[in-house]
């Protein structure tokens, strides 16, 4: 029993370290940082690297039509999912409101705006050509006179902008869809001079920090996928002072919170440079493809896509598997995906995410019922050996080596495996951590209510499963259930362990106070079911003992 207690304490302490590491690393500044990049001015990206390779340009074209610049104006793109405002003077976003997501819980709360006035100042979706911000140094016009697009479900529409930047003719064709949050773009860059020109094009996105709650569960950050591996930087001080830079096979890069993402998906993912900074609380990311050499009259066609919207895993997966990795499901991602599928399955029938979490908890508990029963049986055997253990420890208290030998001989005599009670706990840990990450990153839980008002009152209670319990009722009850579980279990023989076990409910209660209430709900229900099972096993053992 003593060895089992040691292992249990080790597991619990590991859990505390894993959950609390984020706090400590953030406070002490230990997080691993990507390579820094120099700070950029508001209208200019950081210095671009030397070209890694020259790509073959298209053949020389016929003389271009005369370009006539026009004053910039706002173009509205209205779809069932969002309302975007694009500035014709360069194609940068002025606004991008998500119609299905609100900032707060109130019915009149404003819609989430992926490009608010602060982030609009740095021109997200604006092109940087040869280090020049095209929206401020170029001249632009539109081929047609429409004021935007109005798209119904299933429709697509394209805005075509023509501009001159650094003596280069630039044509942007931006295609919007009413079925998802992906913006596809084709870009033509034409050398209008009589000399060969090198061309570097960077794509930009930006998001204000208000898109995140600001706590460790929903922090704003710069993120990117480098050859299938998710990288991110959330330290505001690092992004503000030096920024970050990465070069490689970049599938996407952008600014994101736990629930929303503004990202660039380059058409050519090889030898791409990513640069990220934070300026005036706005997170900016630039993605630059390889440099191209264009002869006189030659042109280059580029393709790029942008995702501006919520991080719904199924919708991201439909775009690319790499983009779906922006929803970080952690080391046990395979288990997390399966649990999310079950959670969504239950929600289809109960239409309440809190009830879905409860049903999922019951299912998990039922699946591990035989293992847990075996663990309780082992604990009962160890309980019977407690008097003998006490005698051995008292007799050989000055001879640790002989004490261990006697204890092992006792186990062998009675056919008891001291680790058998903890093996089921170890097997269940991957499931817990998988569910922990799944619930933590699932946008479905954002603003998802369980019990909106405290019963009998008009006080908001579990109205948002993605945030903490505002009244701290569920974490306190969870701590009480842990205390009750301890009272039902045989006590440790070592006084130090007894003190540690006594304080564990308090430690867990303090730890869970700021946990998203969906996670606390899972742990609370799991504890209640464990108490019920433990009570059943105790009655069974007593009945068997009486029968004998």
């Amino acid at each position: 029993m003593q060895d089992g207690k040691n292992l249990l304490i080790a597991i619990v302490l590991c859990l505390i370290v894993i959950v609390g590491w984020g706090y400590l690393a953030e406070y002490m500044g230990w997080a691993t940082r990507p390579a820094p990049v120099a700070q950029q001015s508001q209208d200019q990206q950081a210095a671009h690297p030397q070209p890694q390779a020259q790509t073959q340009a298209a053949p020389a074209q016929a003389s271009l039509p005369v370009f006539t610049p026009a004053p910039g104006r706002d173009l509205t793109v209205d779809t069932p999912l969002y309302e975007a405002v694009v500035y014709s003077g360069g194609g940068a976003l002025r606004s991008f409101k998500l119609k299905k997501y609100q900032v707060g819980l109130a019915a009149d709360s404003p819609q989430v705006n992926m490009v608010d006035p602060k982030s609009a100042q740095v021109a997200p979706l604006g092109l940087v050509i040869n280090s020049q911000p095209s929206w401020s140094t170029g001249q632009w016009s539109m081929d047609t006179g429409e004021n935007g697009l109005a798209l119904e479900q299933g429709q697509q529409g394209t805005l075509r902008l023509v501009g001159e930047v650094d003596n280069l003719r630039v044509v942007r064709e931006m295609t919007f869809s009413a079925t998802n949050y992906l913006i596809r773009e084709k870009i033509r860059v034409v050398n209008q001079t009589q000399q060969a020109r090198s061309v570097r094009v960077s794509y930009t996105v930006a998001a204000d920090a208000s898109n995140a709650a600001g706590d460790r569960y929903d922090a704003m950050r710069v993120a990117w996928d480098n050859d299938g591996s998710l990288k991110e930087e959330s330290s505001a001080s690092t992004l503000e002072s030096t920024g970050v830079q990465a070069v490689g096979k970049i599938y996407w890069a952008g600014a994101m919170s736990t629930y929303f993402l503004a990202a660039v998906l380059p058409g050519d993912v090889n030898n791409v440079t990513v640069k990220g900074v934070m300026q005036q609380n706005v997170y900016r990311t630039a993605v630059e493809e390889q440099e191209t050499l264009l002869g006189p009259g030659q042109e280059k066609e580029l393709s790029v896509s942008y995702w501006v919207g919520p991080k719904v895993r199924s919708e991201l997966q439909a775009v690319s598997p790499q983009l779906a990795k922006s929803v970080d499901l952690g080391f046990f991602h395979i288990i997390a995906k399966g649990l999310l599928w079950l959670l969504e399955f239950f929600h289809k029938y109960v239409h309440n995410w809190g009830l879905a979490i409860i049903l999922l908890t019951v299912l998990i508990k039922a699946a591990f019922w035989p293992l847990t029963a075996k663990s309780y049986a082992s604990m009962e055997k160890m309980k019977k050996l407690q008097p003998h253990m006490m005698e051995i420890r008292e007799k050989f208290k000055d001879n640790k080596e002989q004490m261990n030998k006697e204890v092992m001989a006792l186990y062998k005599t009675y056919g008891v495996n001291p680790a058998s009670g903890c093996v089921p706990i170890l097997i269940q840990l991957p499931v817990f951590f998988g569910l922990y990450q799944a619930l933590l990153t699932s946008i479905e839980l954002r603003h998802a209510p369980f019990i909106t008002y405290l019963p009998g009152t008009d006080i908001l209670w579990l109205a948002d499963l993605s945030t903490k319990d505002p009244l701290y009722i569920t974490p306190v009850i969870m701590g009480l259930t842990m205390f009750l579980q301890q009272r039902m279990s045989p006590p440790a023989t070592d006084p130090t362990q007894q003190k540690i076990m006594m304080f564990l409910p308090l430690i867990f209660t303090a730890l869970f106070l700021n946990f998203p209430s969906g996670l606390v709900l899972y742990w609370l229900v799991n504890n209640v079911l464990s108490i019920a099972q433990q009570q059943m096993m105790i009655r069974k053992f007593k009945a068997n003992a009486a029968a004998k």
Side-chain angles (χ1 to χ4, degrees):
M1 186 62 188
Q2 189 73 12
D3 294 335
K5 289 286 186 180
N6 284 334
L7 183 56
L8 178 59
I9 291 175
I11 293 170
V12 172
L13 291 177
C14 287
L15 174 62
I16 294 174
V17 169
I18 290 172
V19 175
W21 175 254
Y23 290 109
L24 187 60
E26 182 179 355
Y27 178 76
M28 298 297 292
W30 292 342
T32 302
R33 307 297 185 202
V37 64
Q39 175 90 10
Q40 303 167 335
S41 66
Q42 183 165 335
D43 286 334
Q44 187 173 22
Q45 302 295 328
H48 295 270
Q50 294 300 315
Q52 300 172 26
Q54 291 184 350
T55 58
Q56 183 65 40
Q61 304 294 311
S63 58
L64 295 169
V66 176
F67 171 72
T68 304
R73 53 195 174 93
D74 288 341
L75 309 170
T76 300
V77 179
D78 188 66
T79 79
L81 298 177
Y82 58 85
E83 181 187 83
V85 177
V86 181
Y87 186 59
S88 65
L93 287 176
R94 290 288 189 91
S95 173
F96 202 100
K97 294 181 180 179
L98 306 181
K99 294 184 176 181
K100 295 187 176 182
Y101 297 90
Q102 294 177 292
V103 173
L105 294 173
D108 59 349
S109 179
Q111 296 170 342
V112 171
N113 191 356
M114 297 292 293
V115 182
D116 62 7
K118 183 179 290 186
S119 53
Q121 293 178 4
V122 298
L125 268 64
L127 298 180
V128 178
I129 300 175
N130 290 345
S131 300
Q132 297 191 29
S134 65
W135 59 91
S136 60
T137 62
Q139 294 181 311
W140 294 87
S141 69
M142 289 191 64
D143 280 358
T144 57
E146 71 267 12
N147 291 319
L149 302 168
L151 306 177
E152 300 296 335
Q153 184 64 39
Q155 292 183 333
Q156 291 186 348
T158 301
L159 295 178
R160 190 172 187 270
L161 307 177
V162 180
E164 287 190 351
V165 183
D166 193 27
N167 291 321
L168 298 168
R169 179 68 59 87
V170 181
V171 180
R172 303 189 68 179
E173 294 183 352
M174 307 171 71
T175 301
F176 298 82
S177 172
T179 58
N180 58 35
Y181 300 91
L182 191 69
I183 304 171
R184 301 181 186 274
E185 180 175 13
K186 288 184 178 180
I187 303 167
R188 284 178 57 219
V189 181
V190 186
N191 180 10
Q192 302 180 96
T193 69
Q194 299 302 312
Q195 298 178 343
R197 296 287 311 277
S198 61
V199 178
R200 297 187 303 268
V201 179
S202 293
Y203 318 107
T204 67
V205 288
D208 183 73
S210 62
N211 284 321
D215 56 29
R216 67 180 305 265
Y217 302 109
D218 187 14
M220 202 68 190
R221 51 203 180 269
V222 170
W224 62 96
D225 186 302
N226 193 338
D227 199 16
S229 178
L230 177 64
K231 308 292 184 182
E232 56 184 43
E233 178 56 75
S234 59
S235 171
S237 60
T238 297
L239 291 171
E240 198 167 22
S241 59
T242 62
V244 293
Q245 177 173 313
V247 180
K249 190 174 185 179
I250 306 296
Y251 288 101
W252 62 267
M256 73 177 189
S257 62
T258 299
Y259 303 116
F260 300 100
L261 170 67
V264 176
L265 292 80
D268 183 1
V269 301
N270 296 303
N271 297 317
V272 174
T273 301
V274 174
K275 298 174 182 178
V277 297
M278 188 185 79
Q279 298 171 333
Q280 298 178 355
N281 221 29
V282 175
Y283 291 71
R284 306 181 65 195
T285 305
V287 174
E288 179 186 275
E289 296 187 13
Q290 296 184 76
E291 185 174 277
T292 299
L293 184 64
L294 296 181
Q298 288 187 316
E299 73 172 46
K300 173 70 175 180
E301 185 174 284
L302 305 168
S303 64
V304 65
S305 298
Y306 307 91
W307 180 275
V308 185
K311 292 164 63 175
V312 181
R313 196 169 59 85
S314 58
E315 296 181 13
L316 297 171
Q317 181 71 33
V319 175
S320 80
Q322 292 79 22
L323 192 62
K325 291 181 180 178
S326 63
V327 181
D328 185 11
L329 295 178
F331 183 78
F332 300 105
H333 57 91
I334 296 178
I335 295 175
K337 289 179 182 178
L339 294 173
L340 274 177
W341 183 88
L342 288 171
L343 196 64
E344 293 168 356
F345 173 80
F346 287 130
H347 183 261
K348 290 179 182 177
Y349 295 95
V350 297
H351 306 292
N352 182 295
W353 287 105
L355 291 177
I357 291 173
I358 293 175
L359 291 175
L360 180 61
T361 309
V362 173
L363 179 64
I364 293 173
K365 196 64 181 177
F368 286 111
W369 188 278
L371 283 173
T372 309
K374 186 176 180 180
S375 174
Y376 288 148
S378 176
M379 290 172 61
E380 189 66 21
K381 290 182 181 179
M382 295 291 291
K383 184 178 180 180
K384 293 179 180 180
L385 295 182
Q386 285 295 320
H388 300 290
M389 295 280 290
M390 294 291 290
E391 291 177 5
I392 292 173
R393 293 183 187 279
E394 182 63 28
K395 184 177 181 180
F396 300 101
K397 60 183 179 180
D398 297 325
N399 190 340
K400 296 292 184 181
E401 183 177 352
Q402 186 61 33
M403 180 195 298
N404 292 333
K405 288 181 179 180
E406 293 294 332
V407 169
M408 295 307 297
L410 182 67
Y411 290 155
K412 186 175 181 180
T413 300
Y414 287 89
V416 175
N417 182 357
S420 61
C422 293
V423 169
I425 299 175
L426 290 174
I427 295 176
Q428 295 179 58
L429 278 180
V431 176
F432 167 73
F433 287 122
L435 185 61
Y436 169 87
Q437 200 67 21
L439 295 179
L440 194 64
T441 58
S442 177
I443 193 173
E444 288 81 2
L445 295 186
R446 181 183 182 271
H447 292 179
F450 174 38
I451 303 175
T452 304
Y453 298 99
L454 189 66
T457 72
D458 57 355
I459 301 173
L460 282 177
W461 187 28
L462 301 180
D464 185 354
L465 290 172
S466 69
T467 62
K468 67 179 182 180
D469 181 341
L471 305 178
Y472 302 109
I473 294 175
T474 49
V476 170
I477 296 177
M478 185 276 302
L480 292 175
T481 59
M482 287 192 67
F483 178 76
L484 182 58
Q485 279 183 288
Q486 284 193 12
R487 299 291 294 178
M488 295 173 64
S489 302
T493 57
D494 183 69
T496 303
Q497 287 191 8
Q498 287 183 10
K499 292 180 181 178
I500 293 176
M501 297 300 290
M502 181 177 64
F503 280 104
L504 276 181
L506 294 176
I507 295 173
F508 264 69
T509 300
L511 195 65
F512 275 59
L513 286 177
N514 293 313
F515 264 31
S517 54
L519 286 170
V520 181
L521 178 63
Y522 161 75
W523 196 278
L524 171 59
V525 175
N526 183 72
N527 283 358
V528 171
L529 294 175
S530 296
I531 291 171
Q533 184 180 14
Q534 194 168 351
Q535 188 65 33
M536 290 174 59
M537 296 298 296
I538 291 173
R539 291 177 180 175
K540 180 180 178 181
F541 293 141
K542 288 182 178 180
N544 291 341
K548 292 179 179 179

